[in-house]
């Protein structure tokens, strides 16, 4: 009977689902719906994020630069040789070898703690930001909020946005923080959730912090001290965890080996 306790419970559950669906922030594929989405997301986030973090979210704007970068990642479709030439592999190897020598103490301490040798760390550092020279100039919160709103990968970047709001509360991010187009920050370009999970403390705009954090990421993804990191070897899986593009993974392995094997 509809008037039974069981029936009333079913009705209540159904109404709760409908209400939840009505409140869910709706993704979109153009700038037009972004402001409405922000208001809906902010309503959802209350209780999970502080008033200060929500205020920072409400100050974001739709990032056309982020969408352009997200739709235009053509370099990952290049051959390995073309990709390495485009990313300046020869220069990364040369500078990486020099930095391995000049900062030997730092890389020795990282290897002792995490088991990760200098080569892959320098390869990632050089590939991501040209050793800190090009860290990006897109507003980080706007980038992550835009991708959380954008329908293409909304669920993935919604997680990143909640992580970013947590980082605002911790003082790691501010409404003015700038970085790469997808919301990555620091010398080795960590997304917000990776900062939470693998950051070792301090600003990732400090090279030492960023390199320790990167080694921590690789160790957490199964890196084994002393094992190889070329395709088919035990530590290649950790490099695969860093970036999903096959051509990027192989380039890191090759560049790292040339730095380590100088």
């Amino acid at each position: 009977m509809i008037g039974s306790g069981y029936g009333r419970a079913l009705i209540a559950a159904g109404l709760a689902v409908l209400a939840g669906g009505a409140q869910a922030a709706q993704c979109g594929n153009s700038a037009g719906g972004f402001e409405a989405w922000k208001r809906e997301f902010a309503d959802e986030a209350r209780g999970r994020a502080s008033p200060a973090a929500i205020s920072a979210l409400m100050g974001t704007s739709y990032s056309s630069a982020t969408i352009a970068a997200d739709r235009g990642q053509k370099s990952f479709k290049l051959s390995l040789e073309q990709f390495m030439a485009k990313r300046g592999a020869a220069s990364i190897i040369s500078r990486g070898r020099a930095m391995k020598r000049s900062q030997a103490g730092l890389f020795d301490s990282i290897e002792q703690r995490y088991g990760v040798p200098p080569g892959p760390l320098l390869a990632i550092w050089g590939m991501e930001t040209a050793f800190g020279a090009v860290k990006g100039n897109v507003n980080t919160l706007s980038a992550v909020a835009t991708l959380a709103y954008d329908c293409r990968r909304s669920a993935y970047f919604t997680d990143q946005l909640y992580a970013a709001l947590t980082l605002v509360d911790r003082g790691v991010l501010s409404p003015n923080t700038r970085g790469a187009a997808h919301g990555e920050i620091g010398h080795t370009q960590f997304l917000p959730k990776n900062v939470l999970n693998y950051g070792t403390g301090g600003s990732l705009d400090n090279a030492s912090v960023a390199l320790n954090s990167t080694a921590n990421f690789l160790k957490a993804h199964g890196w084994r001290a002393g094992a190889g990191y070329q395709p088919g070897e035990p530590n290649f899986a950790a490099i695969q965890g860093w970036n999903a593009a096959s051509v990027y993974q192989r380039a890191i392995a090759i560049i790292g080996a040339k730095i380590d094997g100088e």
Side-chain angles (χ1 to χ4, degrees), residues 109-163:
S109 70
I110 290 174
E111 187 165 10
Q112 288 174 15
R113 173 171 288 187
Y114 302 104
V116 182
L121 296 175
L122 285 157
I124 288 169
W125 190 14
M127 188 82 76
E128 294 287 357
T129 65
F131 303 103
V134 186
K135 291 184 284 186
N137 195 34
V138 175
N139 182 278
T140 298
L141 288 177
S142 290
V144 179
T146 296
L147 291 169
Y149 159 71
D150 186 62
C151 289
R152 193 169 88 85
R153 290 188 286 172
S154 181
Y156 179 82
F157 277 97
T158 293
D159 280 349
Q160 297 293 339
L161 181 53
Y162 274 115

Side-chain angles (χ1 to χ4, degrees), residues 61-114:
S61 57
Y62 185 82
S63 177
S64 298
T66 291
I67 295 301
D70 190 61
R71 304 294 190 264
Q73 300 182 70
K74 297 177 180 177
S75 66
F76 292 135
K77 298 179 181 178
L78 299 173
S79 70
L80 177 61
E81 292 74 17
Q82 291 170 330
F83 180 81
M84 290 183 66
K86 184 176 180 64
R87 291 299 187 99
S91 175
I92 293 172
I93 292 165
S94 176
R95 288 196 61 194
R97 287 173 172 171
M99 296 181 85
K100 176 184 170 183
R101 292 190 294 269
S102 66
Q103 300 186 42
L106 170 63
F107 288 107
D108 285 348
S109 70
I110 290 174
E111 187 165 10
Q112 288 174 15
R113 173 171 288 187
Y114 302 104

Side-chain angles (χ1 to χ4, degrees), residues 201-255:
S203 171
L204 292 170
D205 284 327
N206 177 295
S208 175
V209 171
L211 292 167
N212 273 276
S213 298
T214 304
N216 189 41
F217 176 100
L218 293 173
K219 183 178 180 181
H221 284 74
W223 193 281
R224 287 165 38 193
Y229 55 84
Q230 298 306 300
E233 295 181 327
N235 288 330
F236 189 68
I239 293 175
Q240 290 177 305
W242 180 264
N243 190 293
S246 173
V247 68
Y248 185 106
Q249 297 161 3
R250 289 180 290 155
I252 291 298
I254 290 169
I255 293 169

Side-chain angles (χ1 to χ4, degrees), residues 164 166-174 177 185 195-196 202-205:
T166 299
L167 293 174
V168 169
D169 282 335
R170 295 183 182 181
V172 177
L173 294 181
S174 79
T177 299
I185 61 170
V195 178
L196 285 180
S203 171
L204 292 170
D205 284 327

